[in-house]
């Protein structure tokens, strides 16, 4: 049984839906051999952004941290997460994910030098 299936059976689909976008879930379903590594990287990346923004990780809307691409991975924010970044003067979040044999590490850095780019309807930071 895959780790993703174990997580789904132990915590239900709510757990997976809370942490990963539908696109990420679809990717995992179509790439079973790299799914564990992919999800670990995505989780680690979101956790790095949560810590960067000093969000309460229990209450943070994790899927409002949108990760796009594989290499490189870009970050865009929605909702309350975007509002928090804007309030901190963050114009861009730079992200690095590194995969070891049995570990994944992600580092998120804020770039306040870039002009803030926000879609007023979505309150999105890119």
């Amino acid at each position: 049984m895959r780790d993703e299936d174990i997580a789904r059976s132990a915590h239900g689909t709510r757990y997976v839906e809370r942490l990963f976008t539908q696109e990420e879930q679809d990717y995992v379903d179509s790439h079973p051999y790299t799914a564990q590594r992919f999800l670990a990287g995505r989780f680690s990346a979101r956790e790095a952004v949560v810590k960067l923004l000093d969000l309460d990780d229990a209450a943070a809307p994790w899927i409002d941290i949108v990760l796009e691409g594989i290499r490189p991975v870009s970050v865009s924010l929605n909702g309350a997460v975007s509002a928090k970044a804007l309030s901190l003067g963050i114009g861009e979040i730079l992200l690095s994910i590194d995969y070891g044999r049995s570990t994944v590490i992600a580092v998120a850095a804020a770039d306040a030098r870039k002009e803030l780019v926000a879609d007023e309807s979505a309150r999105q930071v890119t």
Side-chain angles (χ1 to χ4, degrees):
M1 182 177 273
R2 299 180 314 163
D3 288 345
E4 307 79 62
D5 295 329
I6 293 169
R8 285 180 180 153
S9 65
H11 303 286
T13 57
R14 184 174 170 262
Y15 170 79
V16 174
E17 291 168 356
R18 182 175 173 257
L19 297 177
F20 303 107
T21 65
Q22 187 59 52
E23 291 80 13
E24 290 168 331
Q25 294 174 53
D26 293 343
Y27 180 89
V28 164
D29 291 339
S30 64
H31 297 83
Y33 295 108
T34 59
Q36 180 180 13
R37 189 177 168 114
F38 176 80
L39 291 178
R42 294 294 168 139
F43 181 86
S44 182
R46 282 192 175 88
E47 185 175 34
V49 172
V50 165
K51 290 181 180 191
L52 173 74
L53 299 176
D54 196 27
L55 297 170
D56 176 7
D57 62 345
W62 287 63
I63 59 171
D64 280 350
I65 303 167
V66 180
L67 306 173
E68 297 171 347
I70 303 295
R71 287 189 183 163
V73 176
S74 63
V75 180
S76 60
L77 307 175
N78 295 315
V81 178
S82 177
K84 174 72 173 191
L86 289 170
S87 75
L88 295 172
I90 294 173
E92 182 178 23
I93 294 178
L94 308 170
L95 187 64
S96 176
I97 306 172
D98 189 37
Y99 298 88
R101 288 184 188 208
S102 61
T103 59
V104 176
I105 186 169
V107 177
D111 187 350
R113 294 176 291 154
K114 299 247 181 196
E115 183 178 324
L116 290 177
V117 179
D119 175 355
E120 290 302 315
S121 63
R123 303 275 309 159
Q124 197 173 60
V125 176
T126 59

